Structure formats: structure tokens, C-alpha cells
Amino acid sequence: MPAPSIIITSELSGSVVAKGATDDLSAQLLNHAGFQQIDDWHGRRHRLPTTTPVADKVAIASHAAEMLRAARYEVVLPSSLDMARISPPAPALGPYIAGAELLQITDRIRAAENGADLQRVVDHILHPEHGALERVREALEAAGEHINDLDDEAYALANRFGFASEFVSSAQSELVDSEAELRRVGHQPQTESRARSSMLPDHRGAALATSPAVAKTKVAPSPGIEATTSGTAARPPHTPGPRR
């Protein structure tokens, strides 16, 4: 009896879906490749989340098709999901490979969900030995030195590259030891949050409270008069100090 045909397609939503894996073996192979199994009134199917990067979708779909075909399943896979039929993409910025990699780091920074994720990505820029800033500083310094080697009269240009290298070094100094602070971004201790909330005045309660004098005389307060509390003082606006 021939094995059932399994169709792997990319939907309009961006999700990659595999249909036709009705037996346990094909389901296990798809799960092993990275697909998530769904069983509902539509039947059994497997899919990749819409948030899966395009390159990962192609790699997972191609690997799944490979395993299924090795197990003698017939697999329908579009060329857009087949690594063997996709030509290598041209670099995003042409010959500027380093710039393209930094663009990817920038995208990962914007996609960070918490301070810990952000710190791990930023480390690719700030690492004191292997980070991008150190490599840029080193390259500018080397360029200045090599200009002097090539032309003794071009000392002014060499100095400009040396100054630029020092500027990058200053940027590194500004951000040194920021790892712990980055990891704490977005995480406020609950005890501190509760303490702050308990210190804040209950404006709603103050607005609805009856003046003791009015309560004593049983006279309603005038609508135009607002109750004030002696324990509440206006805080002066915060003015940031000069940056050191």
C-alpha cells in the first residue's frame, strides 16, 4: 500500500503547514523536524509559528521533506521552501558584509522581549575583546598607523583616524559595566512596587472623604470648595542634572 502524500505549503498568514501526515510515523518525523502538531475538528496537521524566521522555515521544511522521503512518503514541497532549489540570496548590502551583520543585530535589539535578551544581543557590540565597537576601534587605529607606513607626509590624515579611534574608545568607556543594568531593564521588584503604591496618596479616597468639621455639624460641603490634606505636598518637577 503506498504511503500517503504529504503536502507542505506556506499560507498567506506566513505560517508553514504540513497536511496529510495522518499516521504516527510521519507525525513523529514532522515533530522531530520542528513542526507543531494540531488536532482539532479540521483533523491532524502540523505547522510552524508565523514568527519563525524565513530562513528557519525553509530549513525546517526542507529537512522534514528529506526525512519523510527517506521513509518513502511522497512529499509535495514548493520551491520557495526547498533549500536545494533556492539560489543563495544576494547580500543585503552587497559587499558590505559587516554592515549587514550589524543590521541583523539591530533587528534583534528591537525584537528583544526583556532586559536579559537585550543584554545578550548588545554584548555583540560591547564585548571588550570581541564586540563590534572594539573591532571598529582596532580597525581605525590600524588604518591610521598604516597610513603613516605608506606615506610619511600624510600624518594629518593618519591623526584623524587616530582621533576617530579614540572617540570609539570613549564610547566604550561610557557603556562599560552596563551589563547588569541592562538585565534589570523592565524588571521592578514587587516589594518596591508595593512600597511605592502604599506611599502614594489615595486621591480617590481624599476626593470622596467628608470633612471632619462638616461631619460634626452635619452640614454638606459647598460644591466649589475642595478638600485639602495637610500631609500632601506638591513635589517639585524633576530637572535632570548635567550629564557627567
Side-chain angles (χ1 to χ4, degrees), residues 8-17 33 35 47-65 77 80-83 86:
I8 302 176
T9 58
S10 182
E11 297 187 334
L12 292 176
S13 63
S15 178
V16 174
V17 177
F35 282 81
R47 66 183 292 274
L48 296 177
T50 56
T51 55
T52 305
V54 175
D56 291 344
K57 290 177 183 177
V58 175
I60 293 171
S62 297
H63 182 51
L77 183 69
S80 60
L81 295 174
D82 191 346
M83 289 187 67
I86 295 179

Side-chain angles (χ1 to χ4, degrees), residues 6 8 13 17 67 82 95 117 122 140 146 165 173 200 203 241:
I6 299 172
I8 302 176
S13 63
V17 177
M67 291 191 295
D82 191 346
D117 288 346
V122 171
L140 290 171
H146 198 55
S165 173
S173 300
L200 293 173
H203 296 290

Side-chain angles (χ1 to χ4, degrees), residues 25 66 102 131 153 218 223:
L25 176 58
E66 257 181 49
L102 284 173
E153 299 299 323
K218 297 183 180 179

Side-chain angles (χ1 to χ4, degrees), residues 35-57:
F35 282 81
Q36 298 174 353
Q37 182 169 314
I38 301 173
D39 290 289
D40 55 20
W41 64 282
H42 288 291
R44 176 185 288 183
R45 63 192 187 283
H46 297 76
R47 66 183 292 274
L48 296 177
T50 56
T51 55
T52 305
V54 175
D56 291 344
K57 290 177 183 177

Side-chain angles (χ1 to χ4, degrees), residues 188 192-206 229 231-233 235:
Q188 184 179 17
E192 180 183 348
S193 178
R194 285 197 296 267
R196 287 187 179 183
S197 62
S198 63
M199 294 171 61
L200 293 173
D202 186 354
H203 296 290
R204 182 177 179 276
T229 57
T232 305
R235 296 183 181 179

Side-chain angles (χ1 to χ4, degrees), residues 13-35:
S13 63
S15 178
V16 174
V17 177
K19 298 178 181 179
T22 55
D23 62 302
D24 291 339
L25 176 58
S26 59
Q28 289 174 4
L29 292 174
L30 285 167
N31 289 336
H32 181 72
F35 282 81

Side-chain angles (χ1 to χ4, degrees), residues 75-135:
V75 180
V76 178
L77 183 69
S79 58
S80 60
L81 295 174
D82 191 346
M83 289 187 67
R85 298 159 65 186
I86 295 179
S87 58
L93 299 180
Y96 301 101
I97 300 174
E101 292 181 352
L102 284 173
L103 275 179
Q104 292 179 1
I105 291 176
T106 302
D107 290 339
R108 290 174 59 191
I109 287 174
R110 293 193 178 105
E113 297 182 354
N114 52 55
D117 288 346
L118 181 60
Q119 186 274 321
R120 281 191 289 270
V121 181
V122 171
D123 185 60
H124 289 274
I125 299 174
L126 301 183
H127 191 280
E129 296 180 22
H130 311 301
L133 275 183
E134 176 58 18
R135 294 284 79 83

